[in-house]
Amino acid sequence: MSEQKTFIANNWFKLFIVALSLLLITTYFYRESKLDACIQATDEYTSRLWDEKCAIQKQSPNCGLDPFTATAVNGTRDKRLDECFRRYSFK
């Protein structure tokens, strides 16, 4: 027991640095995975929205939308991507 106490007492700062490093690395990868998931969800949502707009215009999915509608859909995508980066990036 005294050997273990001596090890901790002698190396408490090193152990603190290791624990802090692990916490920072874990936080980084957690936020990175959340950012990737958010971007993927945004892409899926935008694709569905685009196809819905095509269906409203009685066209096949992934059609060429008129510039006004395409700009609106792309604006929605840009807003959602901006929200993803504000939530999960380290800027």
Side-chain angles (χ1 to χ4, degrees):
M1 182 76 171
S2 64
E3 286 181 23
Q4 185 179 16
K5 231 179 186 181
T6 306
F7 176 79
I8 292 173
N10 289 336
N11 297 300
W12 69 269
F13 187 72
K14 292 175 188 174
L15 294 171
F16 171 75
I17 295 298
V18 168
L20 183 62
S21 298
L22 287 174
L23 178 66
L24 291 174
I25 290 169
T26 302
T27 302
Y28 173 79
F29 283 113
Y30 172 77
R31 290 184 66 155
E32 191 71 22
S33 71
K34 294 297 270 185
L35 177 62
D36 290 342
C38 186
I39 290 171
Q40 182 178 2
T42 297
D43 288 341
E44 290 170 2
Y45 173 79
T46 303
S47 179
R48 278 195 319 270
L49 184 60
W50 191 280
D51 291 344
E52 287 173 13
K53 298 294 183 182
C54 289
I56 289 170
Q57 295 180 3
K58 296 181 177 33
Q59 296 182 6
S60 63
N62 204 15
C63 66
L65 293 174
D66 62 272
F68 179 75
T69 306
T71 300
V73 171
N74 287 332
T76 300
R77 180 181 186 277
D78 291 344
K79 287 178 187 175
R80 289 179 66 121
L81 283 176
D82 185 52
E83 182 67 28
C84 290
F85 282 103
R86 278 191 279 125
R87 275 190 193 163
Y88 301 115
S89 72
F90 286 102
K91 291 182 182 179

